[in-house]
Amino acid sequence: MKKNLIKLTFLIAIVMLAILGFSTKVQASTSYNSEISYNDNYNGTVTVVAAGKNIESATIPSYINGKKVTQIDDFNDCTHLTKVTIPSTVETIEYGAFENCTSLKSITIPGSVTSIEGSAFQNCSALQSITIPSSVKYVKSYAFENCKSLKTVTIQNGLTEISYRMFYGCTSLTSIQIPASVKTIQWGSFTNCTSLTSITIPATVTELTGGSFSEGIFEGCTNLKSATINAKAPRIAKGMFAGCTSLTNATFASNSTIKIIGSRAFENCTSLVSITLPDNAQEMEYNAFAGCKKLQTVNMGDFLETIGTEAFLNCTSLTTMKFPCGVKTIDGDNSESSYSSGAFAGCTNLRNLYFTKSIQTIKKSVFKDVNKSQLTFYGYSGTAAKYYAQENGIKYVECTPVTSIKITGSTQVLKGSKITLGKTVSPSNAYNKNVRWTISDYNIATIDQNGVVTGKQAGTVTVAATSRDGTAIKATYQVKVILTELPFTDVTVNNWYYSAVKDMYNKKYMSGTSTKTFSPESKVTRGMLVTMLHNMEKSPYVSDASKFSDVQNSKDYYYMAVKWAAKNKIVSGYSNGKFGPNDPITR
């Protein structure tokens, strides 16, 4: 048995040597000077390492023995190091390269660097500022974790991912601008950045990841007051803003793609008073707003279907909840045992709850530890709201549902202009008369929730108004986007002169060259000019005969105008006794 163990040990040693033999670096370091040593890489380049753990500064050359310096490694635990000069040949700062360099206050990363590996500057507690150039495509996990003096971070456009725990525990960081190149922000990346006051997540971000129980992206950022979430991601990550006790404003883009509010997303945001969730959100996971003790108003979109267990646990300032027409399930347990809990457990000041006809499930424990005698349900016959109220002794008010909707207003809108549609909801005593406005093609026109239609390009769209009381009653209406409000086929809103032509036509100063043409590119004649002036004076009648030999036909459109202009000495004609009504005018 002993011999077999010796043989096994020997074989393992051979395998390890073989693996090392294929590594990219030679393991033994060669001294370059008192500051640095180096390793020859098998690709003909050089990796620079520290000459010793007690060095105070290091100036790294671009070449050593004619070989390019492309990597930096093994300056970790150089606790006396205060200054490092990195040449523009370096491409990679290796894993843990400057980890625990607790005296390093600043460092310049050249534009040649493409990768900063994991833990590269972890625990550099004196580091105050860093600029990540656009050449850097990857910064791996833990890169700047616990850099507690780091106040300024500049990330140039180029980086595609904020990796997990990248800035974890950077307690002096007050602000950071996330560039448009970033696609992913991972869990723990800004956790416990307790000086961070505001954050904007750009629309280019398509993934927000959630981590373990205490490592949401901004979890524990206790001074974070404002968050703007423009990300085109499918969900708000788990624990994303948990423990952000100063957060008062969380804003989502109007075209947000977020469908899931992750578990613990806003847990213990104790300063949050109101929030408007993304309109497309479909699910609110457990503990999403648990412990938000000042929360009073939650505006939910019509597509929210599920409110998870303990979603509003101990939200003691909630008095009223209005559920959108999409909500079908309010989750919890089917008992009220000491171990069970529900979506509104501990919401001790809750009074009025407004349901729609869509509600199908309200679990038994949803209102655990809430005095049910103080609750009033506003609901509809045949729904879970009515059954739950009856079974639990809750005051219930029956609501009248919508039975029909009629849309009123203009059937056409000019490109670039707006019209407002109205609606008539029946019966007149319907409890919830609100509707959701939608449109069939947002490339042709848009519509907001006030019924305001804005024309974008020529075409016809179908507008729909759908009841928001859960009955799904719908009315439709056709709206045409037009390019002109004038009778002329040669003048559209796309023309720079459209407004001027419209004004002149509406005031009856100009009537066009025919019933269908205005001829905007044609030259103005002398007859046209005096006709416009005559129209501006409200076309006064002149009984005198025309003094011009070429203005004698009373059927000519300019006949009366020329007589009027001549009488008022506005025109005098040519010396040959003619007026020249069809001659073009000059400047």
Side-chain angles (χ1 to χ4, degrees), residues 288-332:
F289 294 92
C292 294
K293 295 183 181 300
K294 291 186 179 180
L295 188 63
Q296 297 177 14
T297 305
V298 182
N299 297 311
M300 310 173 191
D302 287 344
F303 299 103
L304 189 71
E305 294 184 2
T306 303
I307 298 175
T309 301
E310 298 185 348
F312 296 97
L313 178 68
N314 295 331
C315 290
T316 52
S317 293
L318 277 180
T319 60
T320 301
M321 283 299 299
K322 294 183 178 181
F323 300 103
C325 56
V327 171
K328 299 175 182 178
T329 302
I330 304 176
D331 219 341

Side-chain angles (χ1 to χ4, degrees), residues 513 522-533 557-558 581:
T513 55
S522 298
K523 293 180 179 179
V524 174
T525 64
R526 291 161 61 85
M528 290 177 184
L529 178 60
V530 294
T531 299
M532 283 188 280
L533 297 175
Y557 76 88
Y558 49 76

Side-chain angles (χ1 to χ4, degrees), residues 236-470:
I236 287 293
K238 294 179 180 180
M240 186 161 172
F241 297 101
C244 293
T245 53
S246 298
L247 187 67
T248 58
N249 182 30
T251 305
F252 296 90
S254 58
N255 60 347
S256 177
T257 59
I258 291 167
K259 294 184 178 180
I260 299 175
I261 308 300
S263 59
R264 302 179 48 253
F266 294 91
E267 183 181 51
N268 293 327
C269 290
T270 53
S271 295
L272 192 64
V273 175
S274 67
I275 190 168
T276 298
L277 300 181
D279 194 45
N280 288 319
Q282 297 176 3
E283 181 180 0
M284 184 188 299
E285 293 184 338
Y286 67 90
N287 288 90
F289 294 92
C292 294
K293 295 183 181 300
K294 291 186 179 180
L295 188 63
Q296 297 177 14
T297 305
V298 182
N299 297 311
M300 310 173 191
D302 287 344
F303 299 103
L304 189 71
E305 294 184 2
T306 303
I307 298 175
T309 301
E310 298 185 348
F312 296 97
L313 178 68
N314 295 331
C315 290
T316 52
S317 293
L318 277 180
T319 60
T320 301
M321 283 299 299
K322 294 183 178 181
F323 300 103
C325 56
V327 171
K328 299 175 182 178
T329 302
I330 304 176
D331 219 341
D333 297 308
N334 282 319
S335 69
E336 288 193 80
S337 69
S338 59
Y339 301 103
S340 65
S341 199
F344 294 93
C347 295
T348 53
N349 286 300
L350 201 56
R351 295 291 188 274
N352 300 308
L353 296 105
Y354 297 84
F355 297 90
T356 70
K357 204 167 179 62
S358 303
I359 190 71
Q360 297 173 3
T361 303
I362 304 174
K363 293 290 182 67
K364 183 74 174 177
S365 66
V366 164
F367 301 100
K368 183 186 175 184
D369 299 326
V370 178
N371 184 356
K372 294 181 179 60
S373 66
Q374 72 190 20
L375 298 178
T376 300
F377 279 15
Y378 295 82
Y380 295 84
S381 179
T383 67
K386 184 171 184 177
Y387 298 142
Y388 189 95
Q390 290 174 340
E391 292 172 359
N392 292 275
I394 294 172
K395 182 181 177 182
Y396 175 78
V397 176
E398 183 81 29
C399 299
T400 302
V402 172
T403 58
S404 68
I405 300 170
K406 181 181 178 181
I407 299 174
T408 58
S410 176
T411 58
Q412 64 182 32
V413 58
L414 185 68
K415 176 186 173 182
S417 297
K418 301 176 186 294
I419 59 170
T420 300
L421 299 179
K423 94 289 188 184
T424 302
V425 178
S426 298
S428 59
N429 65 336
Y431 190 79
N432 183 352
K433 294 183 180 181
N434 294 320
V435 300
R436 181 177 183 82
W437 294 98
T438 55
I439 205 162
S440 60
D441 192 338
Y442 282 84
N443 293 314
I444 294 175
T446 61
I447 191 166
D448 67 15
Q449 292 311 304
N450 293 312
V452 177
V453 178
T454 302
K456 295 182 68 177
Q457 67 179 39
T460 300
V461 291
T462 299
V463 172
T466 306
S467 62
R468 301 182 94 153
D469 66 349

